[in-house]
Amino acid sequence: MPDSTSFFDKVYDIARLIPYGRVTSYGAIAKYLGAAKSARMVGYAMNNSHSKDVPAHRVVNRKGLLTGKHHFEGTNLMQQLLESEGIVVINNQIQDFDKLFWNPSYEL
DNA sequence: TCAATGACCTGCC
DNA sequence: GGGCAGGCCATTG
């Protein structure tokens, strides 16, 4: 199973580059990798991110909604982690998402 | 092996 | 401007 030699590995790399107190979206990562249409893959990669040191809680959908919070241990763990970094999350919705948004294609 | 699903996004009607 | 359908790649049944 230790493939880690494909789209997934790159996704983990980008996710790990996300600065503290910042968030990004699946599409942004996918687009940076040159696969904007493969945004779904990014989310699937996050599914395995639990095996890596990837802060998946900093990765959300285009609307800043914590769609994958259900995949975390607790129900509000993802929100707790984001709030712990100074990010305001209400009802699984990140506030000021446009300000906290971290665009890899722009920052990198 | 084939078919269906999934932490999504973009485009068209 | 809102809603629907298609597409992407990998994993599971």
Side-chain angles (χ1 to χ4, degrees), chain A residues 60-96:
Chain A
V60 292
N61 64 345
R62 252 296 188 208
K63 301 165 200 154
L65 190 69
L66 309 187
T67 54
K69 78 149 197 173
H70 215 13
H71 283 255
F72 278 77
E73 294 187 8
T75 51
N76 57 340
L77 177 61
M78 191 172 184
Q79 181 172 337
Q80 292 275 317
L81 291 170
L82 290 170
E83 289 183 341
S84 184
E85 296 189 358
I87 300 174
V88 182
V89 181
I90 300 175
N91 195 12
N92 304 334
Q93 175 71 44
I94 296 179
Q95 306 303 313
D96 298 319

Side-chain angles (χ1 to χ4, degrees), chain A residues 94-106:
Chain A
I94 296 179
Q95 306 303 313
D96 298 319
F97 178 67
D98 54 335
K99 294 179 186 174
L100 298 171
F101 184 75
W102 179 75
N103 194 333
S105 289
Y106 185 78

Side-chain angles (χ1 to χ4, degrees), chain A residues 3-71:
Chain A
D3 280 76
S4 306
T5 73
S6 55
F7 197 86
F8 282 53
D9 203 23
K10 297 200 172 184
V11 174
Y12 303 137
D13 190 41
I14 301 296
R16 265 182 276 188
L17 291 173
I18 300 175
Y20 180 89
R22 276 278 177 59
V23 289
T24 186
S25 62
Y26 305 95
I29 299 173
K31 190 170 186 173
Y32 177 76
L33 297 177
K37 292 175 185 163
S38 303
R40 248 175 154 188
M41 260 316 83
V42 181
Y44 207 94
M46 289 289 131
N47 199 0
N48 273 282
S49 64
H50 70 88
S51 295
K52 322 272 181 185
D53 294 329
V54 178
H57 61 272
R58 290 184 193 160
V59 184
V60 292
N61 64 345
R62 252 296 188 208
K63 301 165 200 154
L65 190 69
L66 309 187
T67 54
K69 78 149 197 173
H70 215 13
H71 283 255

